[in-house]
Amino acid sequence: MYLLILWLPLLGSIFSGFLGRFLGHKGSGTISVVCVFSSMILSLIAFYEVGFMGLNHCIVLSPWIEVGIFKISWSFLFDSLTVTMLVVITVISTLVHLYSLEYMQIDPHLPRFMAFLEIFTFFMLVLVTADNLVQMFVGWEGVGLASYLLINFWFTRLAANQSAIKALVVNRIGDFGLSLGILTVFYIFQSVDYFIIFSLSPLFSNYHLNFGGINISGITLIGVFLFIGAVGKSAQLGLHTWLPDAMEGPTPVSALIHAATMVTAGVFLLIRFSPLIEFSSSVLNILVLFGSLTAFFAGMSGIFQNDLKRVIAYSTCSQLGYMIFACGISCYNVSMFHLANHAFFKALLFLSAGSVIHALANEQDMRKMGSLIKFLPLTYSLMLIGSLALAGFPFLTGFYSKDFILELTQVTLNKNVHSIEGAFACWLGNLSVFFTAFYSFRLIYLTFINSVSTTRIIILKSHEPSLLMLIPLIILGFGSIFIGYLGKDLFIGLGTDFWKSSIIILPSNSYFMEAEWLKINLKWLPFILSVLGIVLATIINVTRIHIYLYNTFYRSICFLINKKWYWDVLYNRFFVYPILNFGYLVSFKNLDRGFIELLGPYGFSKIVPTWSHTFSRLQTGQLSHYLFFIVLGACLFFLIIFNQIQLLVFYSVLIFFI
Amino acid sequence: MLVYINNTNTSILLFLISVLGIFLNQKNILVMLMSLEMMFLSISFNLIFASIYLDDITGQIFSLLILTVAAAESSIGLAILVIYYRIRSVITVELMHLMKG
């Protein structure tokens, strides 16, 4: 049953991919939905068995690589962490599959789309169920590949191809870090099995690698490499540029990539490796710094984006920042809880955005929308639920995880904690709550409430999507409301034994108890900030005082934020183009086609004719010259005979100059 | 003893002179042939001295053979020269450069 969770999506993918032309749209759609739905049911059962009943499973399927002490087998680990991810992935994936049946109805390549979605799900499941790093890496790379295939699903579009390549290449940078991490793990622990690594990591907490005279803590090195992997996959600051561009794919793809699967892989990796990175405070500090910066930066970039999907993409990036710094302050279970909750409301937001885009004939620009509340009331309500959940409105899903993360950071502000990073994360996290609320409601206002700014034809044709699209939306809407409340005690309740040994938090790093007894005004702070954001968005959009438009200062700030702080431009100018130029000018033109060619075939083919011409010109046809060479040769012969090597060299030099 | 060595030296000197005669001569092919003959002569001369010095008849036999070979060689060489002269009507060495490399 446990393995069926994995095989079913693979089976569906093979069926709808290879037999798509025989099955047709309906057939391949049905098969893939049935497959992934059964997988969801099975993973719910697995969640019940593993999570509630406490029956951890590790299924060893077959040996894979055995070289000396390096032994890897295909084996699947089902513990609390894995089954939580399983449920999140399969539920979101099922709903996305259902949704895309309708959304991609008139697309001629629906079977291919279904196959890609399914292979994505499969690789994600491989990623989360792996019990060793190499098998996890299979899923990791497979997810990257599937994201490439999905982002440029409409492969005739230039922008889609470009952003797919960008997604793959930027991810690959992180993957390189991760593979270095795997090598380091093997070097230090002599194994890549999770069980072995995690049981040995306390022993190796003082292990130092001597690296060119510098002692580096082995655990820190591994943690940093794993974090680089997570930076790529989870779009943290530095390698986040692929995420907004990945919006070129169809909307269900965005929902799948950004809500449940791909971007959560990095966070999952860090949570999975909690028994290891707990022993390195510097890695935790890096996580806190990068996570909070990402949360802040992405939240800020989101506020002036005009593309409906990009706003949500930036909010994903921002929420991933929350998850990462929640890991950094050693609250892995809260991070995981936020991941699960975020999957629900982010999938809801993306799919409602898809519904809006669907209704408006593929218009994505928010400036060309408005007043859709009258035409799409249901979508509006769902989007509002999603936005409120995202903004952390009390008693919705986001509140239980996001606010708890912020409360945990508030604890680090206490004077006896001495955590500067924690304070940093606290302030940036709180600020990004404000931004989150602001852009969520800016989106609501621009899309649904403000007056219309699109053409009459489009507006007249706009309609609520059919039931097939609404069912996933409604399910996700309920999820966004209730999942947080239902899951709170299970995942992050005080003294919950749900996680058992899958997450390890050192007692010295844990602040759960303190977070429960914060001052009441600190507990209210995130809510106040998000209400402030909502109010500001309302003021700007209702009263139509565009304070940020008619002022040079605000305009430049606005422009800067809209251009995402020029990350892409700077990257292109200082990394991409120099590297491309280096590749073309230095390594291609000067080295490959230049130097090596000169030493190799080209140079020889130039030298041999000139030299042979010179030598053949020695034969002038004059008898006396021939005689000269005969005599010279005789002399040389005698010199060789009498071993006068120095003289020989002298004469050869002489000949050469003649 | 000294007398023999001087004789050897004379023959070697003769040989070198003939080599130089071939070597430095740019014009006349007849002089070349004559130098060639002188070369043979010096060599056979040398062989004869060696045979006397070593008290061995082989050197003299060899010199007699060389005389025969030299006669045959010079006759063939002169014959080639005559044919060449018949075609080109000139025997200057400098002008023999049809076989350029």
Side-chain angles (χ1 to χ4, degrees):
Chain A
M1 183 200 92
Y2 284 90
L3 291 180
L4 262 187
I5 297 174
L6 274 92
W7 300 145
L8 278 171
L10 182 66
L11 202 71
S13 166
I14 289 169
F15 265 98
S16 53
F18 288 112
L19 306 177
R21 65 170 65 200
F22 308 113
L23 295 169
H25 279 203
K26 286 238 165 60
S28 60
T30 319
I31 279 192
S32 52
V33 168
V34 165
C35 280
V36 81
F37 183 77
S38 339
S39 174
M40 181 190 88
I41 297 293
L42 291 178
S43 52
L44 284 173
I45 298 170
F47 185 76
Y48 173 75
E49 273 194 7
V50 176
F52 293 155
M53 299 291 120
L55 304 166
N56 282 6
H57 288 265
C58 186
I59 301 168
V60 181
L61 199 62
S62 74
W64 181 16
I65 303 171
E66 285 188 9
V67 184
I69 52 164
F70 183 64
K71 286 194 177 62
I72 305 174
S73 50
W74 287 104
S75 50
F76 300 90
L77 167 68
F78 293 86
D79 61 358
S80 314
L81 187 58
T82 301
V83 290
T84 314
M85 282 302 283
L86 279 185
V87 167
V88 169
I89 293 162
T90 49
V91 167
I92 301 296
S93 178
T94 308
L95 297 178
V96 166
H97 273 75
L98 261 181
Y99 181 90
S100 43
L101 279 186
E102 164 80 13
Y103 188 83
M104 304 292 283
Q105 197 181 24
I106 52 167
D107 195 281
H109 301 293
L110 182 78
R112 184 164 63 92
F113 186 71
M114 284 302 178
F116 287 168
L117 281 185
E118 210 115 19
I119 203 81
F120 197 112
T121 316
F122 168 70
F123 275 124
M124 195 65 201
L125 295 178
V126 169
L127 199 161
V128 296
T129 54
D131 92 323
N132 59 61
L133 266 167
V134 177
Q135 195 183 329
M136 196 276 303
F137 199 62
V138 171
W140 188 273
E141 291 294 309
V143 168
L145 169 74
S147 79
Y148 170 80
L149 293 172
L150 281 171
I151 292 167
N152 76 348
F153 176 71
W154 291 314
F155 53 83
T156 48
R157 295 178 59 214
L158 179 64
N161 280 313
Q162 282 172 338
S163 38
I165 288 170
K166 189 176 183 181
L168 198 66
V169 170
V170 174
N171 263 305
R172 189 49 50 85
I173 296 170
D175 297 348
F176 181 64
L178 179 62
S179 50
L180 285 182
I182 295 173
L183 295 179
T184 321
V185 163
F186 183 70
Y187 178 73
I188 292 175
F189 293 100
Q190 307 288 310
S191 170
V192 287
D193 265 23
Y194 285 161
F195 292 135
I196 296 173
I197 300 168
F198 297 156
S199 18
L200 287 183
S201 52
L203 270 178
F204 281 85
S205 56
N206 286 321
Y207 180 83
H208 284 274
L209 285 167
N210 199 315
F211 198 76
I214 309 159
N215 273 329
I216 303 170
S217 161
I219 301 269
T220 306
L221 197 64
I222 294 170
V224 168
F225 281 142
L226 295 180
F227 175 61
I228 291 171
V231 165
K233 213 49 127 191
S234 286
Q236 294 301 295
L237 198 66
L239 298 178
H240 66 281
T241 50
W242 69 271
L243 189 72
D245 283 5
M247 291 296 116
E248 292 298 336
T251 312
V253 171
S254 310
L256 202 57
I257 291 181
H258 292 75
T261 51
M262 182 144 163
V263 292
T264 59
V267 182
F268 169 77
L269 178 73
L270 293 178
I271 298 172
R272 172 59 89 198
F273 270 80
S274 64
L276 194 135
I277 57 179
E278 265 301 275
F279 292 99
S280 168
S281 59
S282 39
V283 172
L284 292 178
N285 288 342
I286 291 171
L287 293 190
V288 171
L289 284 179
F290 270 83
S292 50
L293 277 174
T294 309
F296 179 71
F297 161 78
M300 199 169 197
S301 296
I303 52 180
F304 289 126
Q305 296 301 314
N306 290 319
D307 189 312
L308 183 59
K309 280 167 78 179
R310 270 173 199 249
V311 174
I312 307 173
Y314 272 110
S315 100
T316 303
C317 201
S318 171
Q319 299 303 311
L320 287 166
Y322 276 102
M323 293 172 209
I324 293 283
F325 80 70
C327 287
I329 53 174
S330 298
C331 304
Y332 304 95
N333 48 357
V334 190
S335 174
M336 190 63 209
F337 185 45
H338 192 49
L339 194 157
N341 293 346
H342 171 257
F344 281 92
F345 57 74
K346 195 47 62 74
L348 175 65
L349 280 175
F350 265 116
L351 295 184
S352 335
S355 158
V356 169
I357 293 163
H358 202 55
L360 289 181
N362 295 328
E363 177 57 64
Q364 294 197 12
D365 199 327
M366 287 198 298
R367 291 168 297 188
K368 293 182 187 166
M369 294 177 182
S371 130
L372 289 178
I373 187 169
K374 297 191 179 59
F375 303 98
L376 310 169
L378 201 55
T379 308
Y380 166 73
S381 349
L382 291 163
M383 191 82 135
L384 190 66
I385 291 169
S387 294
L388 285 173
L390 176 65
F393 202 76
F395 314 121
L396 291 182
T397 294
F399 171 73
Y400 290 101
S401 53
K402 200 168 99 171
D403 275 18
F404 193 54
I405 292 176
L406 291 169
E407 282 168 22
L408 285 162
T409 58
Q410 292 283 4
V411 175
T412 58
L413 284 185
N414 283 344
K415 287 201 174 55
N416 55 352
V417 175
H418 303 300
S419 166
I420 299 165
E421 297 82 19
F424 189 69
C426 175
W427 288 113
L428 289 188
N430 276 316
L431 275 176
S432 43
V433 164
F434 171 74
F435 291 133
T436 307
F438 182 80
Y439 63 65
S440 301
F441 278 81
R442 177 169 172 272
L443 186 147
I444 294 280
Y445 275 106
L446 282 179
T447 314
F448 291 104
I449 296 177
N450 282 358
S451 50
V452 185
S453 42
T454 183
T455 56
R456 182 187 291 265
I457 300 164
I458 290 175
I459 277 294
L460 285 179
K461 276 186 186 166
S462 69
H463 56 280
E464 284 282 1
S466 72
L467 209 59
L468 210 52
M469 264 164 87
L470 280 177
I471 288 172
L473 281 178
I474 291 165
I475 294 171
L476 284 172
F478 277 106
S480 302
I481 297 171
F482 293 116
I483 287 289
Y485 172 69
L486 295 175
K488 182 183 185 294
D489 276 340
L490 185 64
F491 291 125
I492 59 169
L494 272 179
T496 173
D497 66 342
F498 175 74
W499 300 107
K500 298 182 198 71
S501 59
S502 60
I503 287 175
I504 287 174
I505 300 171
L506 286 189
S508 59
N509 289 346
S510 170
Y511 298 121
F512 285 102
M513 205 63 99
E514 288 82 349
E516 296 292 331
W517 279 280
L518 272 182
K519 280 183 197 150
I520 194 72
N521 50 356
L522 290 180
K523 283 196 176 231
W524 277 95
L525 183 66
F527 177 68
I528 293 168
L529 280 169
S530 61
V531 166
L532 218 64
I534 295 170
V535 168
L536 191 63
T538 314
I539 289 173
I540 284 171
N541 284 294
V542 170
T543 60
R544 305 217 142 262
I545 38 166
H546 289 269
I547 50 164
Y548 54 89
L549 273 187
Y550 301 113
N551 177 319
T552 331
F553 176 69
Y554 281 113
R555 271 181 80 140
S556 51
I557 288 280
C558 189
F559 191 72
L560 184 68
I561 294 170
N562 184 270
K563 292 288 168 198
K564 309 146 209 167
W565 291 97
Y566 287 100
W567 271 96
D568 282 291
V569 179
L570 292 175
Y571 265 4
N572 282 343
R573 190 158 300 164
F574 292 112
F575 287 104
V576 179
Y577 286 131
I579 289 171
L580 279 178
N581 272 332
F582 179 84
Y584 181 65
L585 293 176
V586 178
S587 60
F588 178 67
K589 274 173 83 176
N590 282 341
L591 219 63
D592 261 15
R593 300 292 304 277
F595 189 64
I596 293 170
E597 278 281 313
L598 213 63
L599 286 181
Y602 178 75
F604 270 115
S605 66
K606 286 289 271 193
I607 284 170
V608 168
T610 32
W611 281 16
S612 66
H613 188 61
T614 316
F615 283 129
S616 72
R617 275 202 324 188
L618 285 177
Q619 300 171 343
T620 49
Q622 296 286 350
L623 270 181
S624 54
H625 293 170
Y626 291 160
L627 279 169
F628 170 72
F629 284 116
I630 288 168
V631 172
L632 210 65
C635 291
L636 279 175
F637 177 70
F638 281 113
L639 284 174
I640 290 166
I641 291 227
F642 298 118
N643 246 335
Q644 306 275 345
I645 299 296
Q646 287 99 350
L647 272 177
L648 176 73
V649 172
F650 172 73
Y651 277 108
S652 16
V653 170
L654 202 68
I655 290 167
F656 193 77
F657 282 109
I658 286 166
Chain B
M1 187 74 182
L2 270 174
V3 178
Y4 296 136
I5 293 171
N6 280 342
N7 285 335
T8 318
N9 276 352
T10 316
S11 75
I12 288 175
L13 194 68
L14 208 61
F15 182 79
L16 287 180
I17 287 168
S18 59
V19 166
L20 281 177
I22 290 180
F23 197 63
L24 299 176
N25 173 39
Q26 300 281 326
K27 298 264 186 210
N28 199 343
I29 202 162
L30 278 172
V31 175
M32 265 185 178
L33 273 175
M34 283 196 282
S35 312
L36 207 63
E37 287 303 313
M38 211 163 91
M39 240 187 235
F40 280 116
L41 204 63
S42 67
I43 293 297
S44 56
F45 203 56
N46 206 1
L47 278 172
I48 288 165
F49 273 121
S51 82
I52 291 166
Y53 173 67
L54 297 170
D55 196 16
D56 187 6
I57 200 77
T58 324
Q60 291 168 36
I61 292 168
F62 263 107
S63 75
L64 276 174
L65 285 174
I66 286 172
L67 274 179
T68 339
V69 169
E73 190 261 3
S74 60
S75 63
I76 293 169
L78 279 172
I80 293 172
L81 197 63
V82 169
I83 294 166
Y84 185 79
Y85 180 73
R86 205 181 287 162
I87 296 168
R88 294 287 299 265
S89 65
V90 66
I91 49 165
T92 318
V93 181
E94 276 181 325
L95 298 176
M96 296 179 180
H97 50 68
L98 284 175
M99 299 283 280
K100 232 183 255 183

